[in-house]
Amino acid sequence: MVLTELLAPAGSYDILVVAINAGANAVYIAGHRYGARAFAQNFTSEEIEKAVKYAHLNGATVHVTVNTLFNTSEIIDVLKYIQFLYRTGVDAVIVQDIGLVYLINKFIPEMEVHSSTQMTLRDYNSLLWAKDEGIKRVILPREMEVDEIKKISTHLKEDNVDLDLEVFGHGSLCYCISGDCYMSSFISGRSANRGACAQPCRSDYKLRYKNHSISNGCLISTHDLATFKDVKAISDAGIISLKVEGRLKSEDYVTTVVKAYRTMIDNMDNEDNTEIINQLQRELDLTFNRYYTNGYILNDSPGEVMGRESSFHQGLYLGKITSIEGEDVNIEFADKNHPVLQNGDGIGFKHNNHIRGIYIDNIVEQDENHIHIRTTRDIRVGSEVYISYSKELRDRPKQYSKETIKPHIPISLDISCNKKMKLTVNASFRIENETISFGYKSKNKLEAAINQPLDDKTIIEHMSKSGETPFIVNNVRVNNLPDNVFMPIGKINNIRREVLDKASEKLLEYYLPDEEKAENIRKNIKNYDKKIKENNHGVKKAQYVGLNVYVDNLELLTIANRNPLNRIYFDPSFIYDNKNDYFDNIEDILREATRIADDKEVVWVLPAFTSDDDLEKITKIHENLRKDNITLSIMGDSPSLTRTFPDTNVYGAHNLNIWNNYSVAMLNKNGFKGATISSELSQKEIKELVTKSKGYNTKLELIVQGNQEIMVSKDDFSNLNGGFDLDIESDEYVVLEDKQNKAKFQIYFDYNKQSHFFNNDLLCLIDEIDTIKEMGIENITLDCRFTKERYLSKVISLYIERLRETNPERKYSESINEISYSKINKGNFENTRVLEDKKSRNRRKKGRS
């Protein structure tokens, strides 16, 4: 069996205890800073230390999420925090920021690092990159299918690459691929990449096509994931750890889900689990859920993954109200296989898509066909009835809430009597294939026996008890015990307790780093921090600013080529609406693109979330072009692209999320020619990033114009409300309107039918050109995909004119506004994340003080 770890969430210490006692092998938590769930209760430093001890004594591990993005000014503080986690004995940290990976490698290489799913490592070369960068485990994107995972894990095994694979197996799903989303940031100023996601995907929307409304509802809300029926398929795919989502969830949720998956993992080799599955399904239906999907991992289609009808927990359907007489309500069950209701359960009455709920406190009678209750609630005959709260499940965590230590480690005791008539014990046990041995000498001496002398059997009997300790005493040997000696049983029991206490200390010490080594790491980080602060040379103004442009077809590329540009980013992913047509034609299109722009650097923008199958075809096309002496650079969103395209200019796309200079250092180490600065950074953050990154060969560029891409989803908008699928031409788009915030998003579909969301408002920083020069930025980029030739020509001309003019009186943005179909703004450059939750920001401030 490959699947050996059930990884549970814990938003508090009490939930951690419940999760471990209910059967989790590992628990993931967050401190008060740097976790991707800023609104969870989370752990104080003292609670983290306590949690690590409790987990290790029970044979479990603790993973700490440090999976947000960090700007240049704060990332060293994050490194200091990880140094604390390392010193505390935390088993692993979960990281999204490639800059933080770079620093951990440099200063704390023994700290086990797991790449967060937000890092979006899904092709084989990206996993090899992870291994070479010191990452022990890759948490794969939720959008990968089990067959694809199996192919990769087999490849790793064949190449003898020791890299663990983890997947999400249960819980809420992000709509965006790998949760790599800017939607919350653009709508509310609360960045998902900072742990402050406002969950806009759960809101109500209207979908419009050619100005006609075609669907409405929770159009980008997903069902919840549940894979418990198929844990064997996940194990067979080479997955070592199955993760449950839910650090914001309650004790009863965690208990029920952990018990369900523990049961299925322990019984995965049984030929018939039907009865177990049915029971677990009923229990899971009563926990919080948005109805369940098998997920992309188990080959559900986008339409099956999506839950467009609602985004809240309705509960388990019971039946309908058949009669109401005063306070007496009769409900007829739809299925005999329903839970037996009890006082204290919560039920909801659904009428006209609205639900009114009550807690049952007066059951008159019930049988397998109906239930008779009394309630004063204003309800109607014919209303659907759901059970949404189970008192039995809510009470279940009580049996797991007590802190207890479960015996699980065999220990051997070799007992002798020394010359001073004291009992000595040589104890040994194994952890992770390492033997831990120590000696013990009793404080009391053996005495001369008056009545009944002590014998081997008595010593073995009392030394074999382990109580609530991590140990199972499975081998006790008594060597050469003198005749006619005696020791009170109470003192023998005390020897056992002291030996097992010492064994527990040794067990906990095993997980702690060498104190001298840990102190050296602390000093090295402190000295490095001091050196950085002393070497602040300030900003150097850019003497020359190069101009680049994104286009998505040959017509726009032809227009762009007539201008003095550094690079043309050519993104042909949207020309075709299916994979066959794309790969049948893309090589000829690229040849034509390089012929048209033969005096410029043409960069092939790869599609988002590129699979190994697609990369194999893409690399073949690239090789064919090179054989014909056609130079074509590459842009994409994987940190391993230089492995896939050696001896090629490779540029990092905005989805690489470059927030700090250490991320640039990582790309520089891997040979990237350039990278795009994250669209979430403010002017101040960008200035600091550019200043600190001046020494690298990897050059930064800033997108200053265009409808900004805020996310990519695997959703193809099939199974829309109304029962139809979206079917549009490849050069068309639909518009998603957010009813609550009055935001609009243009959605385009690539050849993989992935949906790309673009902010309807237009970023325009043309009036900030002098400021951008002063910040030291040497490359700016215009995103002109999905525009018209006339617009493209005019925008490029305006930026060229503005770059040549110093301190103009003219406000160029007014000219942009005249030709734009969208309202223009300055994006996060001016108003970055201003509405992030105050509580979250105050926590970060407190942590830095």
Side-chain angles (χ1 to χ4, degrees), residues 378-415:
D378 181 19
I379 51 181
R380 298 184 182 185
V381 172
S383 295
E384 296 178 346
V385 184
Y386 297 81
I387 175 171
S388 57
Y389 174 93
S390 167
K391 184 179 183 298
E392 179 184 353
L393 294 183
R394 185 59 65 108
D395 291 342
R396 181 178 287 180
K398 293 176 183 177
Q399 63 182 293
Y400 298 109
S401 61
K402 181 184 176 183
E403 292 186 34
T404 56
I405 308 300
K406 296 172 288 189
H408 62 282
I409 302 175
I411 187 170
S412 298
L413 306 178
D414 203 345
I415 302 171

Short mmCIF file of all heavy atoms in Angstrom, two decimals, residues 378-415:
data_model
loop_
_atom_site.label_atom_id
_atom_site.label_comp_id
_atom_site.label_asym_id
_atom_site.label_seq_id
_atom_site.Cartn_x
_atom_site.Cartn_y
_atom_site.Cartn_z
N ASP A 378 -43.41 28.86 10.89
CA ASP A 378 -44.33 29.11 9.77
C ASP A 378 -43.83 28.37 8.53
O ASP A 378 -42.89 28.81 7.86
CB ASP A 378 -44.42 30.61 9.50
CG ASP A 378 -45.39 30.92 8.36
OD1 ASP A 378 -46.22 30.06 8.05
OD2 ASP A 378 -45.28 32.03 7.79
N ILE A 379 -44.41 27.22 8.24
CA ILE A 379 -43.99 26.38 7.11
C ILE A 379 -45.21 25.95 6.32
O ILE A 379 -46.35 26.17 6.74
CB ILE A 379 -43.21 25.14 7.60
CG1 ILE A 379 -43.99 24.41 8.70
CG2 ILE A 379 -41.83 25.55 8.10
CD1 ILE A 379 -43.30 23.19 9.25
N ARG A 380 -44.95 25.31 5.14
CA ARG A 380 -46.05 24.99 4.24
C ARG A 380 -46.04 23.51 3.85
O ARG A 380 -44.97 22.90 3.75
CB ARG A 380 -45.94 25.85 2.97
CG ARG A 380 -46.04 27.34 3.24
CD ARG A 380 -46.02 28.12 1.96
NE ARG A 380 -46.07 29.56 2.20
CZ ARG A 380 -46.15 30.48 1.26
NH1 ARG A 380 -46.21 30.11 -0.01
NH2 ARG A 380 -46.19 31.75 1.57
N VAL A 381 -47.22 23.02 3.57
CA VAL A 381 -47.35 21.65 3.04
C VAL A 381 -46.67 21.59 1.67
O VAL A 381 -46.78 22.52 0.87
CB VAL A 381 -48.84 21.26 2.92
CG1 VAL A 381 -48.99 19.93 2.19
CG2 VAL A 381 -49.49 21.19 4.29
N GLY A 382 -45.97 20.51 1.42
CA GLY A 382 -45.26 20.32 0.16
C GLY A 382 -43.81 20.76 0.20
O GLY A 382 -43.05 20.47 -0.74
N SER A 383 -43.42 21.46 1.26
CA SER A 383 -42.03 21.88 1.37
C SER A 383 -41.11 20.68 1.49
O SER A 383 -41.43 19.68 2.14
CB SER A 383 -41.83 22.79 2.60
OG SER A 383 -42.54 23.99 2.47
N GLU A 384 -39.95 20.77 0.83
CA GLU A 384 -38.93 19.73 0.98
C GLU A 384 -38.27 19.85 2.35
O GLU A 384 -38.09 20.96 2.87
CB GLU A 384 -37.87 19.87 -0.12
CG GLU A 384 -38.41 19.65 -1.52
CD GLU A 384 -37.33 19.84 -2.58
OE1 GLU A 384 -36.26 20.39 -2.25
OE2 GLU A 384 -37.57 19.46 -3.74
N VAL A 385 -37.89 18.71 2.92
CA VAL A 385 -37.31 18.70 4.26
C VAL A 385 -35.92 18.07 4.19
O VAL A 385 -35.72 17.02 3.57
CB VAL A 385 -38.19 17.90 5.25
CG1 VAL A 385 -37.60 17.98 6.65
CG2 VAL A 385 -39.62 18.45 5.24
N TYR A 386 -34.95 18.74 4.82
CA TYR A 386 -33.57 18.29 4.86
C TYR A 386 -33.09 18.23 6.30
O TYR A 386 -33.46 19.07 7.12
CB TYR A 386 -32.65 19.25 4.09
CG TYR A 386 -32.95 19.37 2.62
CD1 TYR A 386 -33.98 20.18 2.15
CD2 TYR A 386 -32.19 18.67 1.68
CE1 TYR A 386 -34.26 20.30 0.81
CE2 TYR A 386 -32.46 18.78 0.33
CZ TYR A 386 -33.50 19.59 -0.11
OH TYR A 386 -33.76 19.71 -1.45
N ILE A 387 -32.26 17.24 6.62
CA ILE A 387 -31.57 17.25 7.89
C ILE A 387 -30.19 17.84 7.65
O ILE A 387 -29.42 17.33 6.82
CB ILE A 387 -31.47 15.85 8.55
CG1 ILE A 387 -30.61 15.95 9.82
CG2 ILE A 387 -30.97 14.79 7.60
CD1 ILE A 387 -30.61 14.68 10.66
N SER A 388 -29.89 18.93 8.32
CA SER A 388 -28.64 19.64 8.08
C SER A 388 -27.71 19.63 9.29
O SER A 388 -26.58 20.11 9.21
CB SER A 388 -28.94 21.10 7.70
OG SER A 388 -29.71 21.73 8.70
N TYR A 389 -28.21 19.12 10.40
CA TYR A 389 -27.41 19.11 11.62
C TYR A 389 -27.72 17.84 12.39
O TYR A 389 -28.89 17.54 12.68
CB TYR A 389 -27.76 20.35 12.46
CG TYR A 389 -27.11 20.40 13.82
CD1 TYR A 389 -25.90 21.06 14.02
CD2 TYR A 389 -27.72 19.80 14.92
CE1 TYR A 389 -25.32 21.11 15.28
CE2 TYR A 389 -27.14 19.86 16.18
CZ TYR A 389 -25.95 20.52 16.35
OH TYR A 389 -25.36 20.56 17.59
N SER A 390 -26.69 17.07 12.70
CA SER A 390 -26.87 15.83 13.43
C SER A 390 -26.32 15.98 14.84
O SER A 390 -25.12 16.21 15.02
CB SER A 390 -26.17 14.67 12.71
OG SER A 390 -26.10 13.54 13.55
N LYS A 391 -27.19 15.87 15.83
CA LYS A 391 -26.74 15.94 17.23
C LYS A 391 -25.76 14.82 17.54
O LYS A 391 -24.76 15.01 18.26
CB LYS A 391 -27.93 15.87 18.17
CG LYS A 391 -27.57 16.04 19.65
CD LYS A 391 -28.80 16.00 20.52
CE LYS A 391 -28.42 16.25 21.98
NZ LYS A 391 -27.50 15.21 22.50
N GLU A 392 -26.00 13.65 16.97
CA GLU A 392 -25.11 12.51 17.23
C GLU A 392 -23.70 12.80 16.72
O GLU A 392 -22.71 12.55 17.42
CB GLU A 392 -25.65 11.26 16.54
CG GLU A 392 -24.78 10.03 16.74
CD GLU A 392 -25.27 8.82 15.96
OE1 GLU A 392 -26.38 8.91 15.37
OE2 GLU A 392 -24.55 7.81 15.93
N LEU A 393 -23.60 13.33 15.50
CA LEU A 393 -22.27 13.65 14.97
C LEU A 393 -21.64 14.82 15.71
O LEU A 393 -20.43 14.87 15.89
CB LEU A 393 -22.36 13.95 13.47
CG LEU A 393 -22.75 12.79 12.56
CD1 LEU A 393 -22.73 13.24 11.10
CD2 LEU A 393 -21.83 11.59 12.76
N ARG A 394 -22.47 15.79 16.12
CA ARG A 394 -21.94 16.94 16.84
C ARG A 394 -21.39 16.53 18.21
O ARG A 394 -20.42 17.11 18.71
CB ARG A 394 -23.04 17.99 17.00
CG ARG A 394 -22.60 19.29 17.63
CD ARG A 394 -21.49 19.97 16.83
NE ARG A 394 -21.91 20.38 15.53
CZ ARG A 394 -22.11 21.64 15.18
NH1 ARG A 394 -21.92 22.60 16.04
NH2 ARG A 394 -22.46 21.94 13.94
N ASP A 395 -21.98 15.49 18.80
CA ASP A 395 -21.51 15.01 20.10
C ASP A 395 -20.32 14.07 19.99
O ASP A 395 -19.61 13.84 20.99
CB ASP A 395 -22.65 14.28 20.83
CG ASP A 395 -23.76 15.22 21.28
OD1 ASP A 395 -23.50 16.45 21.33
OD2 ASP A 395 -24.88 14.75 21.55
N ARG A 396 -20.08 13.53 18.78
CA ARG A 396 -19.04 12.50 18.64
C ARG A 396 -17.64 12.97 19.05
O ARG A 396 -16.88 12.19 19.63
CB ARG A 396 -19.03 11.99 17.19
CG ARG A 396 -18.00 10.91 16.96
CD ARG A 396 -18.05 10.38 15.53
NE ARG A 396 -19.22 9.55 15.30
CZ ARG A 396 -19.49 8.97 14.13
NH1 ARG A 396 -18.69 9.17 13.11
NH2 ARG A 396 -20.55 8.23 13.98
N PRO A 397 -17.24 14.23 18.75
CA PRO A 397 -15.87 14.63 19.12
C PRO A 397 -15.56 14.50 20.60
O PRO A 397 -14.38 14.43 20.99
CB PRO A 397 -15.82 16.11 18.68
CG PRO A 397 -16.83 16.22 17.60
CD PRO A 397 -17.92 15.28 17.98
N LYS A 398 -16.60 14.45 21.44
CA LYS A 398 -16.35 14.35 22.89
C LYS A 398 -15.52 13.11 23.23
O LYS A 398 -14.70 13.15 24.14
CB LYS A 398 -17.68 14.32 23.64
CG LYS A 398 -18.47 15.62 23.56
CD LYS A 398 -19.82 15.50 24.25
CE LYS A 398 -20.63 16.79 24.10
NZ LYS A 398 -21.99 16.65 24.71
N GLN A 399 -15.76 12.02 22.49
CA GLN A 399 -15.02 10.79 22.81
C GLN A 399 -13.56 10.85 22.34
O GLN A 399 -12.76 10.00 22.72
CB GLN A 399 -15.71 9.58 22.18
CG GLN A 399 -15.75 9.60 20.65
CD GLN A 399 -16.48 8.42 20.08
OE1 GLN A 399 -16.02 7.27 20.19
NE2 GLN A 399 -17.65 8.67 19.48
N TYR A 400 -13.23 11.87 21.54
CA TYR A 400 -11.84 12.01 21.06
C TYR A 400 -11.15 13.26 21.60
O TYR A 400 -10.02 13.56 21.22
CB TYR A 400 -11.83 12.10 19.53
CG TYR A 400 -12.39 10.87 18.85
CD1 TYR A 400 -13.63 10.92 18.20
CD2 TYR A 400 -11.69 9.67 18.85
CE1 TYR A 400 -14.15 9.81 17.58
CE2 TYR A 400 -12.21 8.54 18.23
CZ TYR A 400 -13.44 8.62 17.60
OH TYR A 400 -13.96 7.51 16.99
N SER A 401 -11.83 13.98 22.48
CA SER A 401 -11.30 15.28 22.90
C SER A 401 -10.27 15.22 24.02
O SER A 401 -9.52 16.17 24.23
CB SER A 401 -12.46 16.19 23.33
OG SER A 401 -13.16 15.62 24.42
N LYS A 402 -10.22 14.11 24.74
CA LYS A 402 -9.27 13.99 25.85
C LYS A 402 -7.87 13.70 25.31
O LYS A 402 -7.68 12.87 24.43
CB LYS A 402 -9.70 12.86 26.78
CG LYS A 402 -8.78 12.68 27.98
CD LYS A 402 -9.18 11.49 28.82
CE LYS A 402 -8.19 11.27 29.96
NZ LYS A 402 -8.53 10.06 30.76
N GLU A 403 -6.89 14.39 25.85
CA GLU A 403 -5.50 14.15 25.46
C GLU A 403 -5.05 12.79 26.02
O GLU A 403 -5.03 12.59 27.24
CB GLU A 403 -4.58 15.26 25.98
CG GLU A 403 -4.82 16.60 25.31
CD GLU A 403 -3.79 17.63 25.73
OE1 GLU A 403 -2.63 17.25 25.97
OE2 GLU A 403 -4.15 18.82 25.83
N THR A 404 -4.74 11.89 25.14
CA THR A 404 -4.28 10.55 25.52
C THR A 404 -3.12 10.15 24.63
O THR A 404 -3.03 10.57 23.48
CB THR A 404 -5.40 9.50 25.38
OG1 THR A 404 -5.88 9.52 24.04
CG2 THR A 404 -6.54 9.77 26.34
N ILE A 405 -2.24 9.34 25.17
CA ILE A 405 -1.12 8.84 24.40
C ILE A 405 -1.39 7.37 24.07
O ILE A 405 -1.65 6.56 24.96
CB ILE A 405 0.21 8.97 25.18
CG1 ILE A 405 0.40 10.39 25.70
CG2 ILE A 405 1.38 8.54 24.30
CD1 ILE A 405 0.43 11.44 24.62
N LYS A 406 -1.34 7.06 22.80
CA LYS A 406 -1.62 5.69 22.35
C LYS A 406 -0.33 4.90 22.22
O LYS A 406 0.59 5.31 21.50
CB LYS A 406 -2.34 5.72 21.00
CG LYS A 406 -3.71 6.37 21.03
CD LYS A 406 -4.28 6.53 19.64
CE LYS A 406 -3.55 7.63 18.87
NZ LYS A 406 -4.22 7.96 17.59
N PRO A 407 -0.22 3.75 22.91
CA PRO A 407 0.98 2.91 22.74
C PRO A 407 1.10 2.42 21.30
O PRO A 407 0.13 1.89 20.74
CB PRO A 407 0.74 1.74 23.71
CG PRO A 407 -0.28 2.24 24.68
CD PRO A 407 -1.14 3.18 23.89
N HIS A 408 2.28 2.63 20.69
CA HIS A 408 2.43 2.20 19.30
C HIS A 408 3.87 1.85 18.93
O HIS A 408 4.12 1.32 17.84
CB HIS A 408 1.92 3.29 18.36
CG HIS A 408 2.69 4.57 18.46
ND1 HIS A 408 2.50 5.47 19.49
CD2 HIS A 408 3.66 5.11 17.68
CE1 HIS A 408 3.31 6.50 19.33
NE2 HIS A 408 4.02 6.31 18.25
N ILE A 409 4.83 2.11 19.83
CA ILE A 409 6.25 1.85 19.51
C ILE A 409 6.75 0.69 20.36
O ILE A 409 6.79 0.79 21.59
CB ILE A 409 7.11 3.10 19.77
CG1 ILE A 409 6.62 4.29 18.94
CG2 ILE A 409 8.58 2.80 19.48
CD1 ILE A 409 7.35 5.59 19.25
N PRO A 410 7.15 -0.41 19.76
CA PRO A 410 7.72 -1.51 20.54
C PRO A 410 9.03 -1.08 21.21
O PRO A 410 9.86 -0.42 20.59
CB PRO A 410 7.97 -2.60 19.49
CG PRO A 410 7.09 -2.24 18.34
CD PRO A 410 7.03 -0.74 18.33
N ILE A 411 9.19 -1.46 22.47
CA ILE A 411 10.42 -1.14 23.20
C ILE A 411 10.90 -2.40 23.91
O ILE A 411 10.09 -3.18 24.42
CB ILE A 411 10.19 0.01 24.21
CG1 ILE A 411 11.51 0.45 24.84
CG2 ILE A 411 9.18 -0.35 25.27
CD1 ILE A 411 11.41 1.72 25.66
N SER A 412 12.22 -2.60 23.91
CA SER A 412 12.83 -3.74 24.57
C SER A 412 13.56 -3.28 25.82
O SER A 412 14.23 -2.24 25.81
CB SER A 412 13.82 -4.44 23.63
OG SER A 412 13.15 -4.95 22.50
N LEU A 413 13.43 -4.06 26.92
CA LEU A 413 14.09 -3.73 28.18
C LEU A 413 14.96 -4.90 28.60
O LEU A 413 14.51 -6.04 28.71
CB LEU A 413 13.04 -3.45 29.26
CG LEU A 413 11.98 -2.38 28.95
CD1 LEU A 413 10.99 -2.26 30.10
CD2 LEU A 413 12.63 -1.04 28.66
N ASP A 414 16.24 -4.61 28.83
CA ASP A 414 17.21 -5.62 29.25
C ASP A 414 17.61 -5.27 30.69
O ASP A 414 18.29 -4.26 30.91
CB ASP A 414 18.42 -5.60 28.32
CG ASP A 414 19.17 -6.91 28.33
OD1 ASP A 414 18.92 -7.70 29.26
OD2 ASP A 414 20.00 -7.12 27.43
N ILE A 415 17.18 -6.09 31.67
CA ILE A 415 17.31 -5.74 33.08
C ILE A 415 18.36 -6.61 33.75
O ILE A 415 18.38 -7.84 33.60
CB ILE A 415 15.96 -5.90 33.80
CG1 ILE A 415 14.90 -5.03 33.09
CG2 ILE A 415 16.06 -5.53 35.28
CD1 ILE A 415 13.50 -5.26 33.58
#
